[in-house]
Amino acid sequence: MNNHLLQTHITPEEYLAVVKQKPVKQSQYEPLIPVYKVAQCPFCQANCLARLDTYSLLLWSPVAMPGNMWGITQAIINRCPHIIMGEFFINLNGLLPTEVEYFNTRSEIPFVNPRLVDDKHWESTYPDMAPQAIMHALPICRIERKRFKKQFVPRYSLFTITYFARRHAPMFDWWMKGFKYQYMQLAGKHDDDWWDLARWVRQEKLCWLDASKPGLPVQQHPAPFPYASIKGYRADMITYRKGKISDFETGIYDRI
């Protein structure tokens, strides 16, 4: 999805020479990774940039690269005063990740966390909190051999959702002190509303970057929402071993 946004500054051979090292040397790996705009703050209009490995799935597993498990928060390289956190969702687009021995990800279909966009929680203390989420989509490649040459071929989709609030300190403090550590348990109990992205768009709690325009400006309701019909697994966690889903390590709700 949005393949025209893909950045490829190196060859597959140069990339593999670094990521196949054990352990991977962060000082060599990080400079290779492209920087993308993933959001724009609804309050100060600052661009939110993140360093994201769209060359392959090889280091998206937390086993391969600790810290890559659920969020893109650590990948964000510039922060405005209003950003709370960022999350990613990798959609395999019906393919199996046979190129990796072990791959662990969360729901293929993105969801909005209502606790991070809920005005009612703050009505009595900070009525101007105005929390909001910004969504974006990028391709992730698989390295394939075509015409006797290795190439980066876009196969998968990376969806990002970045959360903002006008008052960073109380929102972030609330997140860090309690909700963050309960997140895995709470994620297994949410209902269909979490995944109803069009609903969040209509409520003006979810906006998105317009990938069809230069500079990727923010779009919102009532503009046509491009991500209303994403297909894939809705899940807490999906684990693949040797290209197959591991039933004992996976919490899949359904597939749509």
Side-chain angles (χ1 to χ4, degrees):
M1 187 168 285
N2 296 336
N3 289 355
H4 64 289
L5 299 179
L6 180 67
Q7 300 179 39
T8 52
H9 306 307
I10 56 175
T11 67
E13 289 77 13
E14 291 171 324
Y15 174 79
L16 291 171
V18 172
V19 301
K20 290 293 188 179
Q21 298 180 75
K22 295 184 179 180
V24 175
K25 296 179 180 178
Q26 193 74 24
S27 61
Q28 296 179 10
Y29 172 68
E30 189 172 290
L32 301 180
I33 304 308
V35 173
Y36 292 94
K37 177 179 176 179
V38 294
Q40 183 175 315
C41 178
F43 305 107
C44 67
Q45 311 308 314
N47 287 334
C48 178
L49 306 178
R51 196 180 302 277
L52 299 171
D53 187 348
T54 51
Y55 291 125
S56 80
L57 292 179
L58 294 178
L59 293 187
W60 279 94
S61 166
V63 172
M65 185 61 68
N68 258 0
M69 191 165 188
W70 300 129
I72 62 165
T73 304
Q74 293 182 351
I76 294 172
I77 61 174
N78 68 319
R79 298 172 182 274
C80 76
H82 308 104
I83 188 170
I84 304 302
M85 62 167 290
E87 294 189 285
F88 72 78
F89 304 82
I90 294 177
N91 193 303
L92 299 182
N93 297 326
L95 301 174
L96 293 173
T98 54
E99 67 271 33
V100 289
E101 183 79 12
Y102 177 90
F103 180 68
N104 180 270
T105 187
R106 63 186 325 178
S107 179
E108 288 191 307
I109 299 178
F111 57 76
V112 170
N113 189 319
R115 292 178 178 239
L116 290 174
V117 294
D118 184 12
D119 284 311
K120 294 181 180 179
H121 179 81
W122 303 100
E123 281 180 349
S124 61
T125 52
Y126 300 103
D128 62 341
M129 183 66 76
Q132 194 174 70
I134 307 292
M135 184 173 178
H136 190 39
L138 293 165
I140 294 181
C141 295
R142 185 162 63 185
I143 298 174
E144 300 178 3
R145 186 175 293 276
K146 291 190 173 184
R147 297 180 181 177
F148 309 103
K149 183 180 180 181
K150 290 180 180 177
Q151 298 181 26
F152 294 117
V153 181
R155 294 295 187 193
Y156 312 117
S157 298
L158 170 66
F159 296 101
T160 65
I161 294 184
T162 310
Y163 294 89
F164 297 86
R166 189 183 301 278
R167 294 178 176 269
H168 176 276
M171 173 69 87
F172 189 76
D173 187 57
W174 174 74
W175 163 259
M176 290 297 292
K177 282 186 176 178
F179 180 54
K180 177 180 178 181
Y181 303 105
Q182 304 170 30
Y183 188 76
M184 289 303 297
Q185 289 74 29
L186 290 167
K189 299 176 182 177
H190 46 64
D191 56 33
D192 288 344
D193 287 346
W194 286 47
W195 278 291
D196 189 355
L197 300 181
R199 168 180 176 265
W200 296 111
V201 169
R202 291 192 299 271
Q203 293 183 3
E204 299 184 350
K205 286 300 177 184
L206 178 64
C207 301
W208 65 96
L209 298 185
D210 189 341
S212 68
K213 296 181 180 178
L216 308 178
V218 174
Q219 279 283 13
Q220 62 183 28
H221 181 74
F225 179 53
Y227 308 120
S229 302
I230 300 170
K231 305 299 183 184
Y233 288 113
R234 301 195 300 183
D236 270 348
M237 182 186 300
I238 311 172
T239 299
Y240 294 85
R241 290 186 180 273
K242 297 182 178 180
K244 297 181 179 180
I245 291 179
S246 174
D247 293 334
F248 296 105
E249 302 170 278
T250 294
I252 293 176
Y253 303 139
D254 57 19
R255 183 181 178 92
I256 60 174

